[in-house]
Amino acid sequence: MKALFVLLLAQLCSASLVPEREKDPEYWRRQAQETLRNALRLQRLNQNVAKNLILFLGDGMGVSTVTAARILKGQLQHGQGEESLLEMDKFPFVALAKTYNTNAQVPDSAGTATAYLCGVKANEGTLGVSAGVTRDRCNTTKGQEVTSILRWAKEAGKAVGIVTTTRVTHATPSAAYAHSANRDWYSDGEMPPDALEGGCKDIARQLVENIPEIEVILGGGRKYMYPKNVTDVEYPHEEKHRGTRLDGRNLVQAWKEAKPNGKVAEYVWNRRELLALNLSRVDFLLGESLHPRVPWHQLGASGGPLGGKCRAVPCSAGGRIDHGHHEGKAKQALHEAVELDRAIGLATRLTSTQDTLSVVTADHSHVFTFGGYTPRGNPIFGLAPMQSDVDRKPFTSILYGNGPGYKIVAGERENVSAVDFAHADYQAQSAVPLRQETHGGEDVAVFASGPMAHLLHGVHEQNYIPHAMAYAACIGSNRGHCNAAPRPTTPLLLPVLGLLLLLLC
């Protein structure tokens, strides 16, 4: 009955879905002319040196996710949705990135992170190493390490940071600092004996040791920093949250001890501790919650870490887009994408395109889609305005190619009118049953704004992204053009480059 009512309502309302202004051809002509004027202005290229770089990485944020998130954003603002604009939509330059790994047509997050952070394509499941490394084979790692744009910036004397909504040792952020034959070697407790005997280091240890002066590290996954069976500060009675390290080291303490004399290094694990900090007196900040949904956006409001060298960009990341899709929970994935877009908007307002290059992209896509000839303004989590002409049952607009939403009831496809398909935990129907939905193999979008943003255009290999960003900032290997680069014509907001990697795992 519920499905029938929704279908009937959609049919009754379809005639009134077109806004009155859109019935006038002049509306579309004026809009096109304004777009044309904006495009012509881009002929005056911004060739300033980028003093600040911001990389927003929506993990699993394929083009279909971007489109659906745009509609959701508009509908959350009580619009029809399709005409809405995401903050990333406002970036003037857009490219496509080919996401395949060197040994995989459909990639994973480790190989892709190595591409867009280190500038080198790699095998799936490997981090910060070349394609000469075989997954799980510690003895293939030596001499195959590749460095990231975070290290390039640090070696140029810049302030750097990593912010993620999942654990900081996850594949996506860890390619910024780690070199590993397996993305799952979070601590030595997750490593096989032969890897330990071969001298390979776990990812959490590399976070502390490889680039010890990362100014800001915020995310989750604190259990990998503590000795095995050490009780968690927040969940002392839950075994699954206890420390996992076999070497007995407290890496949080090691992180503090590695800082130069006279520098203030603070560790926080909850909202209260973060808000209590006087950030103007903090040189280094490590924040690790179990569930990293604390207000990292408070960073930079009063100087703080990165603030001694630059003004930090306060924003939050959308690392759990990927998690929502893997579970077939599109509502969670799309709301995460909208949250990421809010962060992009905040960062845009607090920086200047004269000296800040901002890039928004994804590591890979998912087998997520929406369709069914839905009318204008159809709720993005709603039903298609038609029934299947095969099994005569309704279906939701959102579907997955594979995943946990595959359900057969009494030998037939589940009738979605019998379930709450608008619930946050609803798993959209899929064509193939899998416990976890898979990534997609198509290209992902790259949005760019600021100095040298025009370098990101057309269709590129994914590993091109950090090279273009480094060129814009005069860091890394391409620096011959820097002395002759035009200087900004307006006052700079930030005295020194801040590289804030917003990594969505």
PDB file of all heavy atoms in Angstrom, residues 23-41:
ATOM      1  N   LYS A  23      10.045  27.263 -17.351  1.00  0.00           N
ATOM      2  CA  LYS A  23       9.208  27.131 -18.531  1.00  0.00           C
ATOM      3  C   LYS A  23       9.521  28.205 -19.568  1.00  0.00           C
ATOM      4  O   LYS A  23       9.106  28.098 -20.722  1.00  0.00           O
ATOM      5  CB  LYS A  23       7.737  27.204 -18.129  1.00  0.00           C
ATOM      6  CG  LYS A  23       7.293  26.063 -17.214  1.00  0.00           C
ATOM      7  CD  LYS A  23       5.845  26.222 -16.794  1.00  0.00           C
ATOM      8  CE  LYS A  23       5.430  25.107 -15.831  1.00  0.00           C
ATOM      9  NZ  LYS A  23       4.029  25.268 -15.384  1.00  0.00           N
ATOM     10  N   ASP A  24      10.246  29.234 -19.122  1.00  0.00           N
ATOM     11  CA  ASP A  24      10.617  30.341 -20.006  1.00  0.00           C
ATOM     12  C   ASP A  24      11.963  30.039 -20.653  1.00  0.00           C
ATOM     13  O   ASP A  24      12.966  29.893 -19.945  1.00  0.00           O
ATOM     14  CB  ASP A  24      10.699  31.625 -19.195  1.00  0.00           C
ATOM     15  CG  ASP A  24      11.022  32.845 -20.052  1.00  0.00           C
ATOM     16  OD1 ASP A  24      11.242  32.683 -21.276  1.00  0.00           O
ATOM     17  OD2 ASP A  24      11.078  33.955 -19.486  1.00  0.00           O
ATOM     18  N   PRO A  25      12.041  29.936 -21.994  1.00  0.00           N
ATOM     19  CA  PRO A  25      13.326  29.649 -22.649  1.00  0.00           C
ATOM     20  C   PRO A  25      14.420  30.646 -22.290  1.00  0.00           C
ATOM     21  O   PRO A  25      15.599  30.290 -22.276  1.00  0.00           O
ATOM     22  CB  PRO A  25      12.990  29.714 -24.144  1.00  0.00           C
ATOM     23  CG  PRO A  25      11.535  29.458 -24.214  1.00  0.00           C
ATOM     24  CD  PRO A  25      10.944  30.044 -22.974  1.00  0.00           C
ATOM     25  N   GLU A  26      14.008  31.898 -21.976  1.00  0.00           N
ATOM     26  CA  GLU A  26      15.000  32.918 -21.643  1.00  0.00           C
ATOM     27  C   GLU A  26      15.759  32.574 -20.358  1.00  0.00           C
ATOM     28  O   GLU A  26      16.896  32.982 -20.183  1.00  0.00           O
ATOM     29  CB  GLU A  26      14.337  34.288 -21.516  1.00  0.00           C
ATOM     30  CG  GLU A  26      14.034  34.940 -22.841  1.00  0.00           C
ATOM     31  CD  GLU A  26      15.289  35.062 -23.697  1.00  0.00           C
ATOM     32  OE1 GLU A  26      16.304  35.569 -23.198  1.00  0.00           O
ATOM     33  OE2 GLU A  26      15.250  34.615 -24.866  1.00  0.00           O
ATOM     34  N   TYR A  27      15.118  31.846 -19.455  1.00  0.00           N
ATOM     35  CA  TYR A  27      15.803  31.431 -18.229  1.00  0.00           C
ATOM     36  C   TYR A  27      17.044  30.618 -18.560  1.00  0.00           C
ATOM     37  O   TYR A  27      18.133  30.853 -18.033  1.00  0.00           O
ATOM     38  CB  TYR A  27      14.854  30.623 -17.345  1.00  0.00           C
ATOM     39  CG  TYR A  27      15.566  29.902 -16.214  1.00  0.00           C
ATOM     40  CD1 TYR A  27      15.936  30.577 -15.061  1.00  0.00           C
ATOM     41  CD2 TYR A  27      15.878  28.542 -16.313  1.00  0.00           C
ATOM     42  CE1 TYR A  27      16.603  29.922 -14.035  1.00  0.00           C
ATOM     43  CE2 TYR A  27      16.539  27.876 -15.299  1.00  0.00           C
ATOM     44  CZ  TYR A  27      16.899  28.570 -14.154  1.00  0.00           C
ATOM     45  OH  TYR A  27      17.568  27.924 -13.148  1.00  0.00           O
ATOM     46  N   TRP A  28      16.883  29.661 -19.455  1.00  0.00           N
ATOM     47  CA  TRP A  28      17.994  28.788 -19.821  1.00  0.00           C
ATOM     48  C   TRP A  28      19.030  29.537 -20.661  1.00  0.00           C
ATOM     49  O   TRP A  28      20.229  29.297 -20.518  1.00  0.00           O
ATOM     50  CB  TRP A  28      17.476  27.562 -20.572  1.00  0.00           C
ATOM     51  CG  TRP A  28      16.556  26.744 -19.727  1.00  0.00           C
ATOM     52  CD1 TRP A  28      15.209  26.658 -19.832  1.00  0.00           C
ATOM     53  CD2 TRP A  28      16.930  25.929 -18.604  1.00  0.00           C
ATOM     54  NE1 TRP A  28      14.695  25.820 -18.852  1.00  0.00           N
ATOM     55  CE2 TRP A  28      15.737  25.359 -18.094  1.00  0.00           C
ATOM     56  CE3 TRP A  28      18.138  25.622 -17.991  1.00  0.00           C
ATOM     57  CZ2 TRP A  28      15.729  24.511 -16.999  1.00  0.00           C
ATOM     58  CZ3 TRP A  28      18.141  24.762 -16.902  1.00  0.00           C
ATOM     59  CH2 TRP A  28      16.949  24.212 -16.412  1.00  0.00           C
ATOM     60  N   ARG A  29      18.575  30.459 -21.485  1.00  0.00           N
ATOM     61  CA  ARG A  29      19.519  31.240 -22.283  1.00  0.00           C
ATOM     62  C   ARG A  29      20.358  32.149 -21.407  1.00  0.00           C
ATOM     63  O   ARG A  29      21.571  32.271 -21.597  1.00  0.00           O
ATOM     64  CB  ARG A  29      18.762  32.043 -23.342  1.00  0.00           C
ATOM     65  CG  ARG A  29      18.111  31.169 -24.415  1.00  0.00           C
ATOM     66  CD  ARG A  29      17.215  31.985 -25.330  1.00  0.00           C
ATOM     67  NE  ARG A  29      16.526  31.128 -26.292  1.00  0.00           N
ATOM     68  CZ  ARG A  29      15.278  31.291 -26.678  1.00  0.00           C
ATOM     69  NH1 ARG A  29      14.559  32.302 -26.199  1.00  0.00           N
ATOM     70  NH2 ARG A  29      14.741  30.459 -27.554  1.00  0.00           N
ATOM     71  N   ARG A  30      19.725  32.795 -20.440  1.00  0.00           N
ATOM     72  CA  ARG A  30      20.476  33.670 -19.528  1.00  0.00           C
ATOM     73  C   ARG A  30      21.480  32.866 -18.711  1.00  0.00           C
ATOM     74  O   ARG A  30      22.617  33.303 -18.492  1.00  0.00           O
ATOM     75  CB  ARG A  30      19.510  34.414 -18.597  1.00  0.00           C
ATOM     76  CG  ARG A  30      18.716  35.518 -19.263  1.00  0.00           C
ATOM     77  CD  ARG A  30      18.025  36.401 -18.225  1.00  0.00           C
ATOM     78  NE  ARG A  30      17.095  35.639 -17.395  1.00  0.00           N
ATOM     79  CZ  ARG A  30      15.803  35.464 -17.686  1.00  0.00           C
ATOM     80  NH1 ARG A  30      15.291  35.977 -18.800  1.00  0.00           N
ATOM     81  NH2 ARG A  30      15.026  34.773 -16.866  1.00  0.00           N
ATOM     82  N   GLN A  31      21.028  31.700 -18.247  1.00  0.00           N
ATOM     83  CA  GLN A  31      21.930  30.846 -17.476  1.00  0.00           C
ATOM     84  C   GLN A  31      23.128  30.427 -18.307  1.00  0.00           C
ATOM     85  O   GLN A  31      24.278  30.453 -17.837  1.00  0.00           O
ATOM     86  CB  GLN A  31      21.167  29.611 -16.992  1.00  0.00           C
ATOM     87  CG  GLN A  31      21.989  28.699 -16.092  1.00  0.00           C
ATOM     88  CD  GLN A  31      21.299  27.381 -15.834  1.00  0.00           C
ATOM     89  OE1 GLN A  31      21.302  26.502 -16.683  1.00  0.00           O
ATOM     90  NE2 GLN A  31      20.685  27.248 -14.662  1.00  0.00           N
ATOM     91  N   ALA A  32      22.906  30.054 -19.568  1.00  0.00           N
ATOM     92  CA  ALA A  32      23.997  29.643 -20.445  1.00  0.00           C
ATOM     93  C   ALA A  32      24.959  30.796 -20.711  1.00  0.00           C
ATOM     94  O   ALA A  32      26.182  30.605 -20.749  1.00  0.00           O
ATOM     95  CB  ALA A  32      23.435  29.104 -21.756  1.00  0.00           C
ATOM     96  N   GLN A  33      24.410  32.003 -20.890  1.00  0.00           N
ATOM     97  CA  GLN A  33      25.273  33.157 -21.154  1.00  0.00           C
ATOM     98  C   GLN A  33      26.136  33.499 -19.940  1.00  0.00           C
ATOM     99  O   GLN A  33      27.308  33.861 -20.080  1.00  0.00           O
ATOM    100  CB  GLN A  33      24.416  34.367 -21.554  1.00  0.00           C
ATOM    101  CG  GLN A  33      23.799  34.253 -22.937  1.00  0.00           C
ATOM    102  CD  GLN A  33      24.849  34.110 -24.021  1.00  0.00           C
ATOM    103  OE1 GLN A  33      25.827  34.857 -24.075  1.00  0.00           O
ATOM    104  NE2 GLN A  33      24.653  33.116 -24.896  1.00  0.00           N
ATOM    105  N   GLU A  34      25.578  33.375 -18.747  1.00  0.00           N
ATOM    106  CA  GLU A  34      26.371  33.625 -17.540  1.00  0.00           C
ATOM    107  C   GLU A  34      27.475  32.576 -17.396  1.00  0.00           C
ATOM    108  O   GLU A  34      28.609  32.896 -17.033  1.00  0.00           O
ATOM    109  CB  GLU A  34      25.459  33.603 -16.310  1.00  0.00           C
ATOM    110  CG  GLU A  34      26.183  33.816 -14.982  1.00  0.00           C
ATOM    111  CD  GLU A  34      26.909  35.144 -14.904  1.00  0.00           C
ATOM    112  OE1 GLU A  34      26.500  36.108 -15.587  1.00  0.00           O
ATOM    113  OE2 GLU A  34      27.905  35.229 -14.156  1.00  0.00           O
ATOM    114  N   THR A  35      27.148  31.338 -17.701  1.00  0.00           N
ATOM    115  CA  THR A  35      28.157  30.281 -17.668  1.00  0.00           C
ATOM    116  C   THR A  35      29.249  30.550 -18.691  1.00  0.00           C
ATOM    117  O   THR A  35      30.438  30.344 -18.425  1.00  0.00           O
ATOM    118  CB  THR A  35      27.503  28.911 -17.947  1.00  0.00           C
ATOM    119  OG1 THR A  35      26.478  28.677 -16.978  1.00  0.00           O
ATOM    120  CG2 THR A  35      28.525  27.793 -17.864  1.00  0.00           C
ATOM    121  N   LEU A  36      28.853  31.031 -19.851  1.00  0.00           N
ATOM    122  CA  LEU A  36      29.820  31.365 -20.893  1.00  0.00           C
ATOM    123  C   LEU A  36      30.742  32.486 -20.448  1.00  0.00           C
ATOM    124  O   LEU A  36      31.962  32.425 -20.648  1.00  0.00           O
ATOM    125  CB  LEU A  36      29.084  31.758 -22.180  1.00  0.00           C
ATOM    126  CG  LEU A  36      29.948  32.148 -23.384  1.00  0.00           C
ATOM    127  CD1 LEU A  36      30.862  30.999 -23.782  1.00  0.00           C
ATOM    128  CD2 LEU A  36      29.056  32.568 -24.546  1.00  0.00           C
ATOM    129  N   ARG A  37      30.190  33.526 -19.828  1.00  0.00           N
ATOM    130  CA  ARG A  37      31.024  34.633 -19.329  1.00  0.00           C
ATOM    131  C   ARG A  37      32.023  34.138 -18.291  1.00  0.00           C
ATOM    132  O   ARG A  37      33.192  34.533 -18.295  1.00  0.00           O
ATOM    133  CB  ARG A  37      30.134  35.733 -18.757  1.00  0.00           C
ATOM    134  CG  ARG A  37      29.396  36.549 -19.818  1.00  0.00           C
ATOM    135  CD  ARG A  37      28.747  37.779 -19.214  1.00  0.00           C
ATOM    136  NE  ARG A  37      27.617  37.426 -18.353  1.00  0.00           N
ATOM    137  CZ  ARG A  37      26.360  37.287 -18.790  1.00  0.00           C
ATOM    138  NH1 ARG A  37      26.080  37.461 -20.075  1.00  0.00           N
ATOM    139  NH2 ARG A  37      25.389  36.991 -17.950  1.00  0.00           N
ATOM    140  N   ASN A  38      31.561  33.277 -17.406  1.00  0.00           N
ATOM    141  CA  ASN A  38      32.471  32.723 -16.398  1.00  0.00           C
ATOM    142  C   ASN A  38      33.575  31.898 -17.042  1.00  0.00           C
ATOM    143  O   ASN A  38      34.735  31.932 -16.619  1.00  0.00           O
ATOM    144  CB  ASN A  38      31.691  31.871 -15.400  1.00  0.00           C
ATOM    145  CG  ASN A  38      30.794  32.694 -14.510  1.00  0.00           C
ATOM    146  OD1 ASN A  38      31.042  33.893 -14.289  1.00  0.00           O
ATOM    147  ND2 ASN A  38      29.744  32.086 -13.982  1.00  0.00           N
ATOM    148  N   ALA A  39      33.226  31.142 -18.077  1.00  0.00           N
ATOM    149  CA  ALA A  39      34.222  30.322 -18.765  1.00  0.00           C
ATOM    150  C   ALA A  39      35.261  31.198 -19.457  1.00  0.00           C
ATOM    151  O   ALA A  39      36.462  30.887 -19.456  1.00  0.00           O
ATOM    152  CB  ALA A  39      33.538  29.405 -19.771  1.00  0.00           C
ATOM    153  N   LEU A  40      34.821  32.289 -20.050  1.00  0.00           N
ATOM    154  CA  LEU A  40      35.755  33.182 -20.739  1.00  0.00           C
ATOM    155  C   LEU A  40      36.725  33.835 -19.764  1.00  0.00           C
ATOM    156  O   LEU A  40      37.885  34.102 -20.108  1.00  0.00           O
ATOM    157  CB  LEU A  40      34.975  34.250 -21.508  1.00  0.00           C
ATOM    158  CG  LEU A  40      34.209  33.727 -22.737  1.00  0.00           C
ATOM    159  CD1 LEU A  40      33.280  34.794 -23.279  1.00  0.00           C
ATOM    160  CD2 LEU A  40      35.195  33.264 -23.811  1.00  0.00           C
ATOM    161  N   ARG A  41      36.270  34.084 -18.536  1.00  0.00           N
ATOM    162  CA  ARG A  41      37.167  34.674 -17.537  1.00  0.00           C
ATOM    163  C   ARG A  41      38.317  33.737 -17.193  1.00  0.00           C
ATOM    164  O   ARG A  41      39.381  34.175 -16.757  1.00  0.00           O
ATOM    165  CB  ARG A  41      36.378  35.012 -16.265  1.00  0.00           C
ATOM    166  CG  ARG A  41      35.359  36.124 -16.438  1.00  0.00           C
ATOM    167  CD  ARG A  41      34.768  36.534 -15.101  1.00  0.00           C
ATOM    168  NE  ARG A  41      33.608  37.384 -15.274  1.00  0.00           N
ATOM    169  CZ  ARG A  41      32.352  36.992 -15.111  1.00  0.00           C
ATOM    170  NH1 ARG A  41      32.097  35.742 -14.759  1.00  0.00           N
ATOM    171  NH2 ARG A  41      31.356  37.835 -15.300  1.00  0.00           N
TER     172      ARG A  41
END
